[in-house]
Structure formats: structure tokens, C-alpha cells
Amino acid sequence: MGHDWVTHQIENCPLDDENQPPRKIIHVDMDAFYASVEQRDHPHLRGKPVVVGGSPEGRGVVAAASYEARKFGIHSAMPAARAARLCRDLVFLHPDFMKYREVSRQLRAIFEDYADHIEPLSLDEAFLDVTENKAGLPTATAVAKEIRRRVRDELRLTCSAGVSSLKFVAKIASDYRKPDGLTVVPPERVLAFIHPMPVRKLPGVGPATEKRLNDIGIFTVGDLAAVPAADVHRRFGKHGAYLWRMAHGEDPRPVQSSQPRRSQSAEQTFAEDIEDRRTLERILAGQAERVCRGLESAGLRGRTVTIKVRYGDFTTVTRSETLEQPTNDPFRVAEMATALLDRTEAGLRPVRLVGVGVGNLVGREETLQLELPLEFDD
Ligand SMILES: [Mg+2]
């Protein structure tokens, strides 16, 4: 019984090859993201207690709280009514997800200068595998410093970063000196760093598991590490075995970069140039229908509709419009495509090709989060 026995309980988690050097992982987390973006863009809100989400009349919940608001004990997921009672001068703001998404894209573009393997956890948080970094910087710490500097200079926002050979340790580390902090945990320091932490800090330990662990005298990660593996497995099953491995400084999960589809489109070149605007509208509507069917079957919706028009002389223009809420409704997309056609010379000049695309795609889950602003931010 012991370590190897536990290892075999963990499915789909191959062990690191011991001959491989440790991975270098950075976890970056923006500080009070939504609230900070609003304070950046509205200077009169700086230095003030601000929350995004909820209403002063007490409807809804707080999605993000500025650090000034946190001094009053206000935090994300708190009912707005309670937040309003805690701070009389609290400023409530409507979330502007279009803007937060745009900042998130800018953040992603910075990450892409350093890493190919990027795993976003939300709009403002991601793991980066910088075992090999694309900028040729000497260390992961140097990459983290550079990213933090660029976020400050280019986005005029602050973030916190954690650096470790293990994902869960990088995530705990990014939280360690928040806001605007950097914590580096080299492999030989992992156990000293995690053992004094409350077990609650381990991923997957919510209030219920925490209570069950506390009930048997396990309060810190170090307490968990000291319990025989078989005991943990018997009481908590596979999940417990995984927690035990983490308490021993193991986390085999790689940074999972997903390369989501960025857009879906259809286009058509005509045998003969078309001058009749109505005909072009009908063709765009058919293309919108096909694109939306593809999105629907992939469980995706998009926020940006783009049309492409190539004139008889081969000059090509594109026109785009971005919606507040993502869609895959063919009528909505066709309607937007027709409106975009007004911003071209279709109907006035011969047209050789038209196409329509839907971009800025989000999955079902994300769509749901957008509709119900429940994407909390810390
Ligand atoms: Mg954050």
C-alpha cells in the first residue's frame, strides 16, 4: 500500500515521465476584473467602492467588487441587498460583457506571445505552459514579470500571477499576494508552501468536503499528507486519492489548450456577376441559414456577423457588426447581413462573390453565463 497503489486509482491522469524536467506553469488572474475595467474607463469611479452586477434596490448578486468595496466586506456572489447595507456609498454598475470580452481577447493576445498552451478558466484567468516560452526568456519568472508589466502598460490593469511546476500550486500562488502580486514556488519549495494551507485551498474541496475532512482532524494540506493513502481512499474514494496526491506535491494534469473555432462562414462565387441587390439578399439569407445550422449542431453561438463582398473588379470589402448577445438564429443573422449590405456598393456595382460569417463564438455554457451574469470574479 502506498503511493503507487493510489496512483493506479487515478484514471486519465498519466504520471509525469520522471526523466522529463518539471513543467513550468503560470497562472494569471486579473484583479477584481470587471470592477477594475470600469474604474479604468471611468476615472470618477477610481478609489470608490464599486460593484458590477446587482442593483441598489437589492436585486441580483454582486459579480465583482472593487478593492475599495471589499474593505466593507463585500465580495462576489453576495446578494446586492446585503452589499448595499454594508456600504451606503456603494456604486452599482451594469456589467458590460462586450467590453470584458474585448479586454479578455487583448489579454489572450499578450499570452500568445509567450505560450502556445493556454488554458483559460474564465474571461480573466488562465494557465500558461511556458516550459518552452516563445519569447526566449530565461525563466518562467521572467515571463510572468513581463506579462504583468505588459498588462499594466498595455491594458492599464493589474493582475496577479503564480509560477510553479504544478497547476494547482500555480493557482494557489497567484492568489497568495493578491492584488498585483507575483509568487514563485520552485519545485523544491512546493511542500513547504502548501502544507500549512487550509485543505480548502485544494481544488475540488468545497465546504462539504472541508467539513468531512475537518471532522476527522484534517485541517491543513499537511494534515492530509500525513494520513495513510488507503484511509483517504476508503473515506473519500477516487477524489480523496487525488487530493492526497496533491498534498504530496503531485498534479499530473497538463495545461489543456483548447483551440476553439473562431468563426463559421459560407461564401459563393457566381458564374456571372450579380447587380440585383434583392438576389444578393436572398443568397446571403441562404448562407446565414447554412452557417447557423452548423453552429447549432456544434452547440455554438456567435456575437459578430461579418459579410464579404467581392466586386467585379476583384476588390473585396468586409463589413461587421457585433451583437450584445450571441446568436445562431438564421433570421437574425440574415437581417444583420442585409443591413451590412447597405454599407457596401452592392446593387450599384457588379458583385462576383458574397459570403457571411459568424464569429466571436461561445459555447452553450458560456452563453448561459452571459445571459445570467453569474460569472463571478475574484
Ligand atoms: Mg480574477
Coordinates of all heavy atoms in Angstrom, one line a residue, residues 29-33 122 124-125 178 377-378, ligand 1:
D29 N -4.2 35.8 -13.1 CA -5.6 36.1 -12.7 C -5.7 37.6 -12.5 O -5.0 38.2 -11.8 CB -5.9 35.4 -11.3 CG -7.3 35.6 -10.9 OD1 -8.2 36.0 -11.7 OD2 -7.6 35.3 -9.7
M30 N -6.6 38.2 -13.3 CA -6.8 39.7 -13.2 C -7.4 40.0 -11.8 O -8.2 39.2 -11.3 CB -7.7 40.1 -14.3 CG -7.2 39.8 -15.7 SD -5.7 40.6 -16.1 CE -6.2 42.3 -16.3
D31 N -7.0 41.2 -11.4 CA -7.5 41.6 -10.0 C -8.9 42.3 -10.2 O -9.0 43.3 -10.9 CB -6.5 42.6 -9.4 CG -5.1 41.9 -9.2 OD1 -5.1 40.7 -8.9 OD2 -4.1 42.6 -9.4
A32 N -9.9 41.8 -9.5 CA -11.2 42.4 -9.5 C -11.6 42.9 -10.9 O -12.0 44.0 -11.1 CB -11.3 43.6 -8.5
F33 N -11.5 41.9 -11.8 CA -11.5 42.2 -13.2 C -12.6 43.2 -13.7 O -12.3 44.3 -14.2 CB -11.6 40.9 -14.0 CG -11.5 41.1 -15.5 CD1 -10.5 41.8 -16.1 CD2 -12.5 40.5 -16.3 CE1 -10.5 42.0 -17.5 CE2 -12.4 40.6 -17.7 CZ -11.4 41.4 -18.3
S122 N -11.6 31.4 -17.2 CA -12.8 32.3 -17.3 C -12.2 33.5 -18.1 O -11.1 33.4 -18.7 CB -13.2 32.8 -15.9 OG -12.2 33.5 -15.3
D124 N -11.0 36.1 -17.2 CA -9.8 36.9 -16.7 C -8.8 36.0 -16.0 O -8.0 36.5 -15.3 CB -10.4 37.9 -15.6 CG -10.7 37.3 -14.3 OD1 -11.3 36.2 -14.3 OD2 -10.3 37.8 -13.3
E125 N -8.8 34.7 -16.4 CA -7.9 33.8 -15.7 C -7.4 32.7 -16.6 O -8.3 32.2 -17.4 CB -8.8 33.2 -14.6 CG -8.1 32.8 -13.4 CD -9.1 32.1 -12.5 OE1 -10.3 32.5 -12.3 OE2 -8.8 31.0 -12.0
K178 N -2.3 38.6 -3.8 CA -3.3 39.4 -4.5 C -3.6 40.7 -3.7 O -3.7 40.6 -2.5 CB -4.6 38.6 -4.7 CG -5.1 38.7 -6.1 CD -6.2 37.7 -6.3 CE -6.6 37.5 -7.8 NZ -6.5 38.6 -8.7
D377 N -16.1 36.8 -10.1 CA -14.7 37.2 -10.4 C -14.1 37.5 -9.0 O -14.7 38.1 -8.2 CB -14.8 38.5 -11.2 CG -13.4 39.1 -11.4 OD1 -12.5 38.4 -11.7 OD2 -13.3 40.3 -11.1
D378 N -12.9 37.1 -8.8 CA -12.2 37.4 -7.6 C -10.9 38.1 -7.8 O -10.3 37.9 -8.8 CB -11.8 36.1 -6.8 CG -13.1 35.5 -6.2 OD1 -13.8 36.2 -5.5 OD2 -13.4 34.3 -6.5
Ligands
MG1 MG -9.7 37.5 -11.2

